[in-house]
């Protein structure tokens, strides 16, 4: 079959890989000159989510204060965003959390296998690193995380609950003082460079005959029973107001993996998919002897601090504001607050590890769903599929989702249970 994939982030490139491996002729359309320029560029490095990393759950915004929950909330009168937050907060309830995580877990397991298969088939090096340490400042926070720790046990995720002394022994960059409550070590969990992986995979696909249409923006899908088509804007459209040169390319199926643009392209206007603005700081390592060798995660503030060669990547600081402001530059004072949250996290947990004053800031949108699960699989139209809305966990998860989508396009039963498939459907909204 001829398949068009819209989007050159990890979701689009991983989907193109699986479709190509299944024998389809694939064309990827990306609006930028190169791949991995969207949320994929900003990722914090954590390859796969554990119950401690997923967006929803017992530790999600348990406090309303940015200093404690790591989020900047400025919804004003925008009730849709407040409803979105309320919906996510419902999953703080332990049974609701456990049930939702149980639906996601088969996709996590499939994603683990998929990434491992690609890694061993292509022998890729993408700055992989093993070991994550989640740290908790107060005893109450560790108690709140208990349902997530229980799930680590239930799903046999290798982990150890550590005292503060054991945390300091496991990761020398974490300071003994001020006192903290302890941590959870996930020795097998990995971080890696997602944009690097995406670019390497793109090269493999290009060499293997996958077509790439870079610098092309899809403006609309045109669908009928027999074929699907996408409209590509004239690259000079901004200079050509009438935009007469729309190009149409047709295929048997279209996969929309366009990150935050996905709902608009599949005409799924729903308040349950929200483009959250997130931030990263990339700082040079300041003192080698203070640099962490494990990835350190402030679980309550959801700040991930990863060493990548001679750099420190600090990611987090989501800004909740009205969705209509999402595509506009962030107000300077909000951006400052968000970056301060990241700087403070670094100062608290790995002081002196990175030169934060010389850090390069980045911000971008990642698409979140109100029930914490991505939007993956078929749509109401038989020729349109999606791989999007992975929230904070799209690095590895997009790779397993890509396998699900490629199986559905190929009319093969996906390797996740039916309940999971139904829970991932974009039509659930
Ligand atoms: C700060 C931050 C930290 C994160 N940390 C982690 C982490 O530690 N672990 C983890 O697993 N995940 C993390 N994530 C999430 C992860 O990065 C995303 O889930 C993932 O990259 C999403 O990939 P994507 O391909 O769906 O979207 P994107 O990377 O945004 O890709 C979408 C692509 O589609 C293109 N596109 C959009 N519209 C069109 C159009 N109309 N025509 C043509 N092209 C179009 C865009 O240009 C873009 O290249 C983080 C995200 C951020 C922002």
């Amino acid at each position: 079959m001829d398949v068009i994939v819209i989007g050159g982030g990890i979701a689009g490139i991983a989907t193109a890989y699986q479709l190509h491996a299944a024998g389809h002729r694939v064309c990827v359309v990306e609006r930028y000159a190169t791949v991995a320029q969207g949320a994929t560029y900003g990722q914090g490095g954590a390859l796969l989510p554990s119950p401690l990393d997923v967006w929803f759950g017992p530790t999600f915004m348990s406090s309303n204060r940015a200093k404690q929950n790591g989020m900047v909330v400025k919804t004003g009168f925008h009730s849709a965003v407040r409803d979105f937050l309320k919906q996510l907060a419902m999953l703080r309830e332990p049974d609701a959390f456990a049930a939702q995580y149980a639906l996601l877990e088969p996709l996590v397991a499939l994603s683990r296998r998929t990434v491992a298969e690609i890694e061993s088939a292509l022998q890729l090096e993408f700055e992989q690193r093993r070991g994550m340490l989640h740290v908790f400042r107060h005893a109450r926070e560790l108690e709140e995380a208990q349902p997530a720790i229980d799930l680590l046990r239930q799903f046999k995720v290798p982990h150890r609950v550590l005292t503060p002394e054991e945390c300091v022994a496991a990761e020398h960059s974490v300071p003994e003082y001020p006192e903290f409550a302890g941590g959870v070590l996930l020795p097998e969990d990995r971080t890696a460079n997602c944009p690097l992986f995406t670019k390497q995979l793109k090269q493999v696909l290009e060499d293997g005959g996958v077509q790439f249409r870079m610098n092309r923006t899809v403006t609309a899908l045109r669908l009928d029973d027999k074929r699907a088509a996408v409209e590509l804007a004239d690259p000079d459209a901004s200079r050509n107001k009438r935009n007469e040169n729309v190009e149409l390319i047709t295929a048997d199926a279209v996969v929309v993996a366009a990150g935050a643009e996905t709902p608009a392209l599949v005409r799924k206007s729903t308040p349950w998919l929200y483009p959250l603005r997130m931030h990263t700081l990339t700082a040079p390592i300041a003192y080698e002897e203070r640099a962490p060798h494990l990835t350190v995660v402030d679980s309550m503030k959801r700040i991930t601090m990863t060493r990548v060669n001679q750099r420190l990547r600090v990611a987090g600081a989501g800004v909740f504001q009205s969705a209509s402001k999402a595509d506009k530059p962030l107000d300077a004072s909000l951006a400052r607050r968000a970056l301060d949250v990241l700087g403070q996290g670094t100062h608290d947990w790995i002081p002196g590890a990175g030169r934060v004053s010389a850090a390069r800031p980045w911000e971008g949108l990642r698409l979140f769903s109100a029930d914490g699960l991505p939007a993956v699989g078929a749509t109401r139209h038989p020729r349109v599929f999606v791989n999007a809305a992975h929230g904070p966990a799209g690095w590895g998860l997009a790779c397993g989702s890509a396998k699900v989508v490629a199986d559905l396009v190929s009319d093969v039963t996906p390797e996740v249970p039916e309940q999971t498939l139904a829970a991932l459907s974009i039509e659930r909204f």
Side-chain angles (χ1 to χ4, degrees):
M1 279 175 32
D2 291 320
V3 189
I4 296 168
V5 177
I6 306 172
I10 181 63
I13 299 301
T15 306
Y17 177 84
Q18 295 296 342
L19 288 166
H20 180 65
H24 301 292
R25 284 177 302 275
V26 184
C27 170
V28 179
V29 184
E30 166 55 51
R31 66 183 166 187
Y32 292 125
T34 180
V35 297
Q37 297 301 295
T40 300
Y41 183 81
Q43 53 75 48
L47 188 51
L48 282 164
S50 77
L52 278 171
D53 300 293
V54 285
W55 179 242
F56 55 94
T59 58
F60 172 71
M61 291 187 73
S62 59
S63 153
N64 286 332
R65 296 175 52 206
K67 275 198 173 152
Q68 276 148 23
N69 67 32
M71 300 287 154
V72 178
V73 181
K74 202 84 175 136
T75 60
F77 294 115
H78 203 265
S79 61
V81 187
R82 289 206 302 269
D83 290 350
F84 181 91
L85 285 168
K86 260 191 222 150
Q87 182 77 14
L88 261 174
M90 276 158 60
L91 292 167
R92 292 186 51 205
E93 199 277 311
D95 288 344
F97 170 58
Q100 198 70 343
Y101 187 78
L103 289 168
L104 181 68
E105 201 277 337
L107 184 64
V108 178
L110 172 63
S111 301
R112 185 169 292 113
R113 292 199 298 279
T114 309
V115 174
E117 278 163 20
I118 298 174
E119 234 177 312
S120 76
L122 304 179
Q123 297 292 308
L124 301 180
E125 279 300 320
F126 43 102
E127 303 185 322
Q128 302 97 315
R129 188 169 268 272
R130 207 174 279 278
M132 293 181 72
L133 178 65
H134 287 254
V135 282
F136 298 84
R137 179 66 63 197
H138 305 290
R140 175 185 56 79
E141 296 172 349
L142 204 44
E143 279 163 29
E144 271 173 15
Q146 194 54 49
I149 297 170
D150 293 343
L151 286 185
L152 291 173
R153 201 165 301 126
Q154 184 182 329
F155 288 105
K156 300 192 170 48
V157 181
H159 70 282
R160 277 167 49 215
V161 179
L162 304 183
T163 62
E165 296 72 30
E166 288 169 330
C167 288
V168 173
E171 177 48 68
H172 70 286
S173 60
V174 171
E176 235 172 310
Y177 299 103
E179 284 180 5
F180 62 103
V184 180
L185 176 66
L186 304 169
E188 299 299 319
D189 275 29
R190 293 198 300 162
T191 51
N193 188 331
C194 185
L196 180 59
F197 177 86
T198 307
K199 286 177 182 169
Q200 290 174 342
L201 213 52
K202 187 236 176 188
Q203 196 54 53
V204 170
L205 292 176
E206 210 162 26
D207 295 346
V210 169
Q211 200 190 351
F212 282 85
R213 303 291 307 272
M214 309 305 289
N215 281 318
R216 291 287 185 282
T217 299
V218 173
T219 45
L221 307 190
R222 283 202 210 162
L223 306 166
D224 65 38
D225 293 347
K226 297 197 183 67
R227 296 284 278 176
V230 302
E231 277 180 15
L232 302 190
D234 179 346
D236 297 325
S238 54
R239 273 174 277 142
N240 173 7
K241 277 195 188 141
R242 289 176 60 205
N243 198 14
E244 286 156 346
N245 301 329
V246 169
E247 181 187 353
L248 204 63
I249 50 173
T250 57
D252 300 297
V254 175
V255 181
V256 185
E261 314 291 330
T262 301
L265 283 172
V266 298
R267 293 175 180 234
K268 191 86 207 169
S269 151
T270 164
W272 303 128
L273 288 173
Y274 174 77
L276 180 72
R277 194 168 289 277
M278 301 279 309
H279 294 80
T280 58
L281 286 175
T282 306
I285 295 291
Y287 297 102
E288 185 57 42
E289 60 279 20
R290 293 200 190 160
H293 65 275
L294 296 171
T295 291
V296 178
V297 186
D298 183 324
S299 283
M300 304 307 285
K301 295 187 188 158
R302 293 170 191 268
I303 301 174
T304 308
M305 294 157 264
T306 308
R307 178 177 186 165
V308 190
N309 285 333
Q310 286 313 307
R311 313 178 301 281
L312 190 67
R313 171 60 74 98
V314 187
V319 179
F320 281 105
Q321 56 173 357
S322 128
S324 61
K325 292 190 176 161
D327 57 353
K328 302 185 181 69
L330 193 60
D331 174 86
S333 70
L334 285 185
R336 189 66 262 154
R337 270 170 69 188
L339 294 174
D340 284 350
V341 166
L342 297 184
Q344 187 63 45
T346 317
H347 177 76
D348 289 349
W349 292 111
I350 48 170
R355 273 204 295 134
V356 176
S357 57
R360 201 159 29 87
W362 181 90
E363 58 163 67
L365 297 175
R366 61 188 190 184
L367 192 64
F368 274 75
S369 68
D371 64 7
L373 303 185
V376 175
T379 66
R380 218 164 271 166
H381 195 284
R383 296 190 180 277
V384 180
F385 301 81
V386 290
N387 186 1
H390 295 88
W395 178 176
L397 219 49
C399 297
S401 306
K403 180 74 173 77
V404 170
V405 170
D407 283 345
L408 289 170
V409 171
S410 314
D411 215 5
V412 170
T413 307
E415 299 168 42
V416 293
E418 266 179 38
Q419 303 92 297
T420 293
L421 206 54
L424 300 177
S425 166
I426 194 166
E427 302 300 347
R428 71 188 187 273
F429 298 116

